[in-house]
Amino acid sequence: MKRILVFSICLFFISSVGCTDAKNLKGGQIEKKVEDLLSKMTLEEKIGQMNQISSSGNLEEMSRLIKKGEVGSILNEIDPVRVNALQRLAVEESRLGIPLLIARDVIHGFKTIFPIPLGQAASFNPQIVEDGARVAAKEASSVGIRWTFAPMIDISRDARWGRIAESCGEDTYLTSVMGAAMVKGFQGNSLNDPTSILACAKHFVGYGAVEGGRDYNSTHLTERQLRNDYLPPFEAATKQGAATFMSSFNDNDGVPSSANPFILKTVLRNEWGFDGFVVSDWASIKEMVNHGFCANDKESAMKAVNAGVDMEMVSYTYMNHLKELIKENKVTEKTIDDAVRNILRIKFRMGLFDNPYINGKAPSVMYSPENLAAAKAAATQSAILLKNDNTLPINSSVKTIAVVGPMADAPYEQMGTWAFDGEKAKTQTPLQSLKQLYGDKVQIIYEPALSYTRDKNTENISKAVNAAKKADIVLAFVGEEAILSGEAHCLADLHLLGAQSDLIKALAETGKPLVTVVMAGRPLTIGKEVEMSNSVLYSFHPGTMGGPAIADLLFGKSVPSGKTPVTFPKEVGQIPLYYNHNNTGRPATKKETLLDNIEVGAGQTSLGCTSFYMDAGFDPLFPFGYGLSYTTYKYNNLKLSATEFTPKGQIEVTFDLKNTGKYEGTEVAQLYVRDKVGSVTRPVKELKRFTRVTLKPGETKNISFMLPVEELAFWNIDMKKVVEPGDFTLWVGTNSQEGISADFKVVE
Ligand code: BGC
């Protein structure tokens, strides 16, 4: 029996490369360089550094601005020759030679596309996430991109919101760990490394809680919710050394983030000590006029800069109005100087002044075998087995396979949202991979039936049914096209679109074993289809290497290990639905009568007066942290190092994890805690640790988590972050609803 001490994914221990940079450089040489340069700059040049333009393709206009020192950063310029040419103008032809910062949204890969971030989060493997970000950084920096707008670490509890695809899901701890891992991957060992790209923690803050899941909407988060649930991933990103932050589009409690000094100054600068720079989201400063928060662009510029937004993305209110605002004493020169300091500090830290150009002659790093292998590993670990009646893995008695559905061979769609630079031609689909990797073992009949996921034309379903009848097993690839999730791509209904459900039904009616593979940008309400299928594998949008990853999973060369990073609702009307909610005064007993059993003319109080839906019941379709394997696991012998702890103590949690099945597999063991009574109501459970454990059939490992009691702290009734003494329950288990438990106390 092996003993494993888990500390690799413990936030408490995050040691930050970025922080080391910051420590060495703060107050040191770099600060001196910043001050020297700042002292030489005209006001126009300072404001120029605060201006980010989008590459317009109009070289003449861009050149004019760059030469005058009126551009600090360019976004969306990815042609290395042009990047070098524009940089040369900044370095050699502007008065002070300040290099440009070239930016691009490299969200889940540059050329080699990794699973969407929500998929990566399902791996519960920060190493996979870090590796993905590193690959992205290497590829992107090779064409001159030195700044990405990721990680997106908005807590997302509403799958109607298209941007849930870009997030790490609903949980604060998981998002904190994954976000920090992404920062580490993007920024590498040092910002100064030419393969490092700046991370940007976004969207600061609360954007995931937009009303009704409609993008750009208002949020109404209290300070306590912000501090307990929404801010921690950003604090973790700061600790990991994230060089930049982006202010979000939403207004929270009436204040747009781009003019919110509480989050940008009090929290970010004063409490967390962030010394990088803050960029607005795309035109979010100007849009404060639409919000009705500012009367005009000038007021927007004033409110944003005074709140602490250092650089403006594309909307020119700073360029057009800051000078005048200074003359009118509405903005001080010190405010401008501070913003420019923040920007220059990062440019110096990156070594951009010493190394502004890229080596156009270096061999290409795009789609290298290592990059593809990392993308395949990520896609493998991101897939979640939601149901299996032993139809999977496909066994050797299967000779003919029917491959159907609109996502079986949809290379563009499987890359998902924010894959601007990924190429369809380089993307390996499940159909291609099944043929390539398993075509010698099985005969494959392909009948897509629907040409895209919204296709309502049922004409060709009969062809798929005929294929199914000829086959030993049916693999149905359904889901969402890439365009159906991401920014501004929200949905009010989360059922499978088009005639996909009809297709599943028709296939199920053939009586052939049916495996449904879902490739989507969000959790969909697929209860019906799950019921009709023998097995369901949920792969989100798996990226470039989705094909081979899924093929190997289906054939058992790999064993599924992903877990839901977000609760899957049965019905959209249950949203928001997340595991770590507070308890009500009347939690459901689960014995209540549901819709179909309510008697006609039943009395008002006959249902029990508890918290549930008469039609959707009590539970989600799949809880947070859920995912099956081809093998099974048993948790046993949970022990805590004591029954009482002081707030400064450490809880050592040990338990045995046994593989009780027939396959070697990897289980994501999860540790949850409940603080039973607080000065404010507390969540019914909170994830505090997780780890991936690989076990051979029959093997048992003794797992140990170290949990500092400090990590049980929360923002209490006095808005102080404290550990309150009292009773706690702790669980270890396979998902947020199952597990073995032990109680402990925290004493003064
Ligand atoms: C998005 C950001 C993105 C920016 C730049 C905005 O519309 O909200 O997430 O980084 O555009 O492309």
Side-chain angles (χ1 to χ4, degrees):
M1 207 161 74
K2 288 185 201 133
R3 185 130 200 247
I4 296 185
L5 179 62
V6 181
F7 57 86
S8 56
I9 49 177
C10 164
L11 269 183
F12 193 73
F13 290 107
I14 282 178
S15 76
S16 154
V17 169
C19 287
T20 317
D21 270 0
K23 265 184 227 135
N24 293 342
L25 303 171
K26 223 175 167 179
Q29 275 181 325
I30 287 207
E31 292 308 305
K32 188 169 173 314
K33 283 184 178 174
V34 169
E35 293 308 319
D36 283 354
L37 184 53
L38 196 65
S39 68
K40 294 185 191 130
M41 291 171 82
T42 63
L43 182 57
E44 287 80 1
E45 284 164 338
K46 290 177 185 171
I47 296 170
Q49 283 304 303
M50 299 164 73
N51 182 31
Q52 180 182 59
I53 62 170
S54 177
S55 175
S56 58
N58 181 345
L59 271 185
E60 219 173 282
E61 172 61 6
M62 289 202 292
S63 308
R64 193 182 61 78
L65 294 174
I66 293 169
K67 283 199 239 171
K68 277 169 62 190
E70 291 189 351
V71 182
S73 169
I74 298 184
L75 103 136
N76 294 337
E77 182 55 74
I78 56 158
D79 173 347
V81 176
R82 279 163 60 116
V83 166
N84 269 349
L86 294 170
Q87 195 65 289
R88 194 151 279 122
L89 291 176
V91 173
E92 293 174 19
E93 295 192 39
S94 75
R95 195 178 72 91
L96 293 171
I98 305 175
L100 298 164
L101 198 43
I102 306 294
R104 176 74 157 173
D105 289 278
V106 180
I107 307 296
H108 53 111
F110 180 59
K111 288 289 180 185
T112 304
I113 300 297
F114 283 68
I116 53 169
L118 189 60
Q120 291 186 45
S123 73
F124 280 66
N125 186 348
Q127 192 59 53
I128 278 283
V129 167
E130 184 185 329
D131 292 349
R134 192 85 286 277
V135 166
K138 282 187 191 156
E139 291 190 349
S141 61
S142 76
V143 299
I145 297 163
R146 293 298 308 277
W147 183 18
T148 180
F149 302 120
M152 191 276 223
I153 42 180
D154 297 319
I155 298 304
S156 306
R157 294 172 172 173
D158 190 334
R160 292 171 296 181
W161 190 47
R163 302 201 79 166
I164 194 171
E166 293 170 58
S167 79
C168 294
E170 74 188 35
D171 185 62
T172 302
Y173 178 71
L174 179 63
T175 302
S176 302
V177 173
M178 294 311 206
M182 251 181 246
V183 171
K184 204 167 168 204
F186 287 134
Q187 298 193 167
N189 289 329
S190 155
L191 291 184
N192 206 331
D193 181 326
T195 70
S196 290
I197 62 178
L198 304 179
C200 181
K202 74 182 189 187
H203 304 85
F204 200 51
V205 61
Y207 185 33
V210 284
E211 257 184 352
R214 286 186 304 281
D215 211 354
Y216 313 122
N217 248 278
S218 298
T219 59
H220 303 278
L221 298 164
T222 64
E223 183 180 340
R224 186 169 291 105
Q225 280 174 304
L226 278 175
R227 288 190 178 279
N228 279 332
D229 299 341
Y230 290 80
L231 287 168
F234 289 92
E235 187 176 10
T238 314
K239 284 193 181 144
Q240 189 58 57
T244 74
F245 265 58
M246 183 187 289
S247 60
S248 57
F249 283 127
N250 57 300
D251 62 314
N252 188 49
D253 194 19
V255 184
S257 298
S258 297
N260 189 335
F262 169 68
I263 57 162
L264 297 174
K265 286 193 168 158
T266 310
V267 174
L268 182 61
R269 299 275 176 199
N270 302 342
E271 293 180 17
W272 298 347
F274 175 71
D275 69 356
F277 71 89
V278 176
V279 65
S280 75
D281 203 344
W282 185 285
S284 68
I285 297 182
K286 192 178 173 70
E287 286 168 11
M288 292 198 288
V289 175
N290 294 348
H291 274 286
F293 189 74
C294 301
N296 48 44
D297 287 1
K298 188 171 162 189
E299 192 183 346
S300 300
M302 178 187 78
K303 285 191 170 166
V305 80
N306 284 339
V309 178
D310 303 308
M311 184 182 279
E312 177 174 23
M313 190 185 282
V314 308
S315 51
Y316 289 94
T317 71
Y318 281 7
M319 287 298 283
N320 294 337
H321 301 289
L322 282 186
K323 218 171 143 187
E324 209 180 327
L325 285 163
I326 289 168
K327 256 195 226 138
E328 293 168 6
N329 286 329
K330 290 186 173 144
V331 172
T332 64
E333 269 208 72
K334 177 174 180 315
T335 299
I336 303 293
D337 284 354
D338 283 346
V340 177
R341 271 186 191 104
N342 294 335
I343 296 166
L344 293 179
R345 178 179 300 125
I346 296 299
K347 287 190 176 182
F348 276 115
R349 278 186 193 164
M350 296 170 72
L352 210 53
F353 287 83
D354 301 326
N355 249 328
Y357 305 115
I358 36 164
N359 174 3
K361 294 198 181 107
S364 170
V365 295
M366 310 301 181
Y367 305 110
S368 71
E370 310 85 75
N371 296 1
L372 294 177
K376 183 180 171 195
T380 304
Q381 295 187 21
S382 296
I384 310 165
L385 186 66
L386 292 177
K387 179 180 180 184
N388 193 19
D389 68 353
N390 288 330
T391 300
L392 288 179
I394 296 170
N395 64 44
S396 53
S397 70
V398 170
K399 299 289 173 234
T400 309
I401 293 181
V403 174
V404 303
M407 293 297 286
D409 196 28
Y412 175 73
E413 312 306 348
Q414 79 180 47
M415 285 191 282
T417 187
W418 289 111
F420 289 145
D421 304 293
E423 291 155 291
K424 202 170 137 169
K426 300 280 186 182
T427 300
Q428 303 182 28
T429 69
L431 178 68
Q432 291 164 2
S433 303
L434 285 165
K435 283 185 180 161
Q436 228 174 58
L437 304 173
Y438 297 95
D440 57 339
K441 295 194 179 68
V442 290
Q443 194 205 337
I444 293 168
I445 317 172
Y446 174 53
E447 277 298 345
L450 305 169
S451 43
Y452 58 109
T453 64
R454 287 163 295 151
D455 192 352
K456 293 189 181 123
N457 183 351
T458 52
E459 232 168 50
N460 292 323
I461 290 185
S462 59
K463 290 190 189 158
V465 167
N466 287 339
K469 285 181 182 159
K470 286 185 215 141
D472 302 317
I473 191 171
V474 187
L475 305 179
F477 292 86
V478 294
E480 293 184 314
E481 297 145 64
I483 191 70
L484 299 177
S485 59
E487 184 176 348
H489 297 151
C490 303
L491 287 170
D493 184 347
L494 300 179
H495 290 122
L496 281 178
L497 289 172
Q500 295 186 98
S501 196
D502 302 317
L503 171 64
I504 301 284
K505 183 161 180 274
L507 295 168
E509 280 168 3
T510 63
K512 291 294 168 97
L514 172 61
V515 177
T516 298
V517 179
V518 189
M519 293 168 148
R522 50 161 71 78
L524 293 168
T525 48
I526 48 165
K528 246 188 340 184
E529 294 78 15
V530 169
E531 220 160 273
M532 291 188 280
S533 310
N534 297 79
S535 305
V536 178
L537 187 70
Y538 211 91
S539 74
F540 295 99
H541 286 133
T544 305
M545 295 300 282
I550 291 172
D552 283 352
L553 285 164
L554 294 174
F555 275 87
K557 190 164 175 213
S558 328
V559 174
S561 59
K563 301 276 186 172
T564 51
V566 63
T567 303
F568 277 51
K570 285 186 204 156
E571 295 296 340
V572 81
Q574 292 175 294
I575 292 173
L577 190 66
Y578 50 95
Y579 83 94
N580 51 351
H581 58 86
N582 292 348
N583 222 356
T584 70
R586 294 183 177 191
T589 61
K590 304 199 179 181
K591 291 189 185 121
E592 292 82 352
T593 315
L594 298 187
L595 207 58
D596 291 340
N597 298 323
I598 299 174
E599 279 172 33
V600 177
Q604 180 66 34
T605 55
S606 60
L607 304 186
C609 291
T610 58
S611 179
F612 70 103
Y613 290 106
M614 289 182 294
D615 51 355
F618 323 97
D619 295 315
L621 183 59
F622 298 107
F624 175 83
Y626 178 85
L628 304 170
S629 167
Y630 295 150
T631 190
T632 46
Y633 305 101
K634 180 106 183 110
Y635 289 74
N636 254 321
N637 280 332
L638 172 62
K639 289 193 187 104
L640 309 189
S641 46
T643 49
E644 286 190 1
F645 300 90
T646 61
K648 292 272 164 247
Q650 295 251 6
I651 309 171
E652 187 181 5
V653 181
T654 55
F655 57 98
D656 291 341
L657 182 58
K658 181 170 187 189
N659 181 342
T660 47
K662 296 199 182 83
Y663 294 84
E664 176 171 326
T666 302
E667 163 74 332
V668 177
Q670 302 159 44
L671 186 159
Y672 296 87
V673 175
R674 176 170 188 172
D675 184 350
K676 289 190 182 167
V677 180
S679 60
V680 292
T681 50
R682 306 285 297 121
V684 294
K685 260 181 190 181
E686 287 178 294
L687 182 69
K688 292 291 178 189
R689 287 287 181 275
F690 56 83
T691 186
R692 292 172 60 89
V693 185
T694 301
L695 294 163
K696 296 203 164 55
E699 189 183 9
T700 300
K701 282 182 183 165
N702 183 257
I703 312 297
S704 162
F705 286 117
M706 291 304 290
L707 180 64
V709 178
E710 273 177 11
E711 290 192 44
L712 305 176
F714 65 98
W715 292 82
N716 74 355
I717 190 77
D718 303 318
M719 207 53 82
K720 298 234 162 59
K721 193 175 178 192
V722 292
V723 181
E724 290 184 345
D727 291 325
F728 293 76
T729 301
L730 179 151
W731 293 259
V732 291
T734 188
N735 63 52
S736 62
Q737 281 189 357
E738 294 171 64
I740 48 175
S741 68
D743 291 339
F744 66 93
K745 273 185 199 307
V746 172
V747 293
E748 294 283 12

